[in-house]
Amino acid sequence: MNQHSMIMLITHYGYASIVVLLFIGIVGIPLPIEIILLGAGYIAVKANLQMEGIIGFAWLGACAGMTLNYVLGQRIGLRRISKVTKWIKLSEKRLDTWAEYVQKHGAILLLVGFYVAGLRHAAPFIAGATKMRFAKFIAVSYFGALAWILVIVLLGQKLGKAWHHLFIHLHHPLGLIIVAGVLALGWIAAKRLVRQRRLTS
């Protein structure tokens, strides 16, 4: 599903479609959900929705997706999960590596996971599989989801009136560069957080 199809869904079904799109995007179906958040201002005008509503319902969808992945991870375990994640280029070896990080720095990995391709889907699975306390998972992941949504939405707002032109031409390399830049900034921030944590421990 491309960005134009998502816009049509949101225009017709409003906030309910935002919940569903964020939910399935977090669960693991490859959707460009960052595009919804980056273009929230444009979508609000186009679909006659409120910005606060888009943010709130996006958060609900993300939280629901994270919770489902946690429960599945708890019930299924890493070995079985790896048979599924190999289809999205996540090997059992990488999952094991991430599982070690979760056990040592679980909260950081969950927060960083929203900004890293693949990790956003895998982190809650791993948290469940490694028996992270549910209360801790909820507190960290729900906060992280809200922070991630606000960061992307605010970035989209900073682009201002030029955003609707970029949105229309997202198939152009410029659109990919913007999305890649957001992910890169998240990854750099994550590395610094991990490094600081190691230095202070």
Side-chain angles (χ1 to χ4, degrees), residues 181-197:
V182 172
L183 295 175
L185 287 173
W187 178 246
I188 292 169
K191 288 182 74 174
R192 288 185 178 178
L193 282 171
V194 172
R195 190 177 302 154
Q196 288 176 355
R197 180 78 176 256

Side-chain angles (χ1 to χ4, degrees), residues 43-69:
I43 290 170
V45 173
K46 184 81 173 177
N48 195 27
L49 301 175
Q50 297 295 319
M51 279 287 290
E52 295 81 1
I54 292 175
I55 293 170
F57 283 100
W59 182 65
L60 286 177
C63 291
M66 294 285 287
T67 304
L68 176 61
N69 282 0

Side-chain angles (χ1 to χ4, degrees), residues 44-101:
V45 173
K46 184 81 173 177
N48 195 27
L49 301 175
Q50 297 295 319
M51 279 287 290
E52 295 81 1
I54 292 175
I55 293 170
F57 283 100
W59 182 65
L60 286 177
C63 291
M66 294 285 287
T67 304
L68 176 61
N69 282 0
Y70 174 90
V71 172
L72 289 174
Q74 200 173 44
R75 299 288 175 84
I76 297 172
L78 282 180
R79 295 294 169 267
R80 291 181 182 175
I81 289 172
S82 65
K83 294 178 181 178
V84 177
T85 58
K86 67 181 181 181
W87 299 107
I88 56 172
K89 309 297 184 183
L90 289 178
S91 64
E92 184 176 335
K93 183 178 179 181
R94 181 174 291 182
L95 285 175
D96 286 336
T97 301
W98 284 349
E100 291 178 13
Y101 276 111

